Amino acid sequence: MKLPGPDHPITISANPRRVRVTAGGVVIAETSNALSLKEASYPAVNYVPRKDANMGLLKRSERVTHCPYKGDASYFSIEADGKTIADAIWTYETPFPAMEQISGHLAFYPDKVKIEEVP
């Protein structure tokens, strides 16, 4: 486990905008409670509370990855509109203590779904 610091900063803040995630026109998630995680020089990532996602459209996959700063990530595929989008979502179900705010949240790959901030 590595801790965020000056050489690898990670900040988590509330996103003041409403976030909507769609796949093929189907709303997968929509929330006013997204968290914005900014890690080092990477683009910010919105983490959406699971309660604001249509979990009935998601199927857990076998993929698991490890981040030395956040912990082990599990993945979900989206099954919507007769199509499957493999490993489109990741989640840290038991993140390291420094990242506990993202527990219970989902993050989406922007090249697999449409993520937009809406009024």
Side-chain angles (χ1 to χ4, degrees):
M1 173 176 59
K2 293 184 178 182
L3 293 174
D7 60 326
H8 193 94
I10 299 176
T11 59
I12 301 171
S13 58
N15 184 335
R17 306 284 310 262
R18 185 166 190 78
V19 174
R20 180 182 299 142
V21 180
T22 57
V26 176
V27 176
I28 308 302
E30 189 164 351
T31 189
S32 294
N33 298 302
L35 297 175
S36 179
L37 185 145
K38 178 71 176 121
E39 180 174 358
S41 61
Y42 302 113
V45 173
N46 283 300
Y47 279 77
V48 174
R50 282 187 187 212
K51 67 179 182 60
D52 295 331
N54 184 344
M55 295 300 291
L57 298 175
L58 309 186
K59 182 178 178 187
R60 184 179 296 275
S61 78
E62 294 182 14
R63 183 172 188 205
V64 176
T65 59
H66 179 78
C67 170
Y69 295 94
K70 295 187 282 297
D72 292 330
S74 300
Y75 289 77
F76 287 91
S77 296
I78 299 169
E79 295 182 346
D81 199 26
K83 298 177 184 131
T84 298
I85 306 170
D87 300 324
I89 302 165
W90 74 93
T91 183
Y92 292 93
E93 293 171 329
T94 53
F96 292 145
M99 299 289 112
E100 69 181 313
Q101 283 178 276
I102 60 172
S103 178
H105 289 68
L106 305 170
F108 299 81
Y109 282 104
D111 61 334
K112 296 187 178 199
V113 297
K114 181 177 180 182
I115 304 167
E116 55 189 333
E117 293 183 345
V118 295

